[in-house]
């Protein structure tokens, strides 16, 4: 699976952004998809994941109620809608794919390049 993330940018606190991750390959539809992020000087952390058919989702506590992960298997694309953004959400965001459950938050098998999200106060 090859992944290409896009949609990052600069936004003021309280604003919204939607990230997209386009996948290639037939295996996209049978993979759990997830978003991770890495802030400067910090380790990469799990943000959200969605099951193969989109019926199951999992979120980090820090983004619950603000972020929504979704997918369109017909378009081989996964999305991360980010609302009520905070300066603490500033990071490089990565999409990832794995065959394990959407509850898995460890090291995924496939990674896309990151997209920068910067939230100003």
């Amino acid at each position: 699976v090859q992944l290409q993330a896009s949609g990052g940018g600069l936004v003021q606190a309280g604003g919204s952004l939607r990230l997209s991750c386009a996948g290639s390959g037939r295996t996209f539809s049978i993979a759990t998809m997830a978003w991770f992020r890495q802030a400067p000087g910090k380790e990469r952390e799990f943000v959200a994941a969605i099951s193969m058919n989109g019926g199951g989702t999992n979120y980090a506590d820090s983004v619950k109620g603000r972020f929504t992960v979704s997918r369109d298997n017909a378009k081989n694309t996964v999305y991360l809608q980010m609302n009520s953004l905070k300066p603490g959400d500033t990071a490089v965001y990565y999409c990832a794919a794995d065959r394990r459950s959407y509850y898995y938050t460890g090291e995924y098998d496939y990674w896309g390049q990151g997209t920068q999200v910067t939230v100003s106060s």
Side-chain angles (χ1 to χ4, degrees), residues 4-50:
Q4 180 80 26
S6 62
L10 173 64
V11 64
Q12 289 188 332
S16 299
L17 278 176
R18 189 176 82 155
L19 306 182
S20 299
C21 177
S24 63
R26 186 172 60 87
T27 54
F28 178 88
S29 63
I30 61 173
T32 291
M33 297 298 299
W35 291 94
F36 288 74
R37 67 186 182 186
Q38 187 168 20
K42 295 186 177 181
E43 293 188 352
R44 187 165 56 192
E45 64 175 359
F46 170 81
V47 174
I50 187 166

Side-chain angles (χ1 to χ4, degrees), residues 28-117:
F28 178 88
S29 63
I30 61 173
T32 291
M33 297 298 299
W35 291 94
F36 288 74
R37 67 186 182 186
Q38 187 168 20
K42 295 186 177 181
E43 293 188 352
R44 187 165 56 192
E45 64 175 359
F46 170 81
V47 174
I50 187 166
S51 64
M52 293 181 292
N53 63 5
T57 56
N58 183 25
Y59 295 94
D61 288 342
S62 59
V63 306
K64 279 181 183 177
R66 301 188 298 122
F67 290 10
T68 302
V69 60
S70 61
R71 68 191 293 166
D72 185 339
N73 286 342
K75 296 181 179 180
N76 278 6
T77 301
V78 63
Y79 305 97
L80 184 68
Q81 177 66 44
M82 305 185 294
N83 298 329
S84 301
L85 282 162
K86 305 174 182 179
D89 295 317
T90 295
V92 177
Y93 284 71
Y94 299 88
C95 60
D98 199 278
R99 291 179 178 267
R100 283 168 279 203
S101 163
Y102 61 95
Y103 284 108
Y104 178 66
T105 62
E107 188 69 18
Y108 272 46
D109 287 337
Y110 303 96
W111 293 87
Q113 94 296 352
T115 185
Q116 177 71 47
V117 172

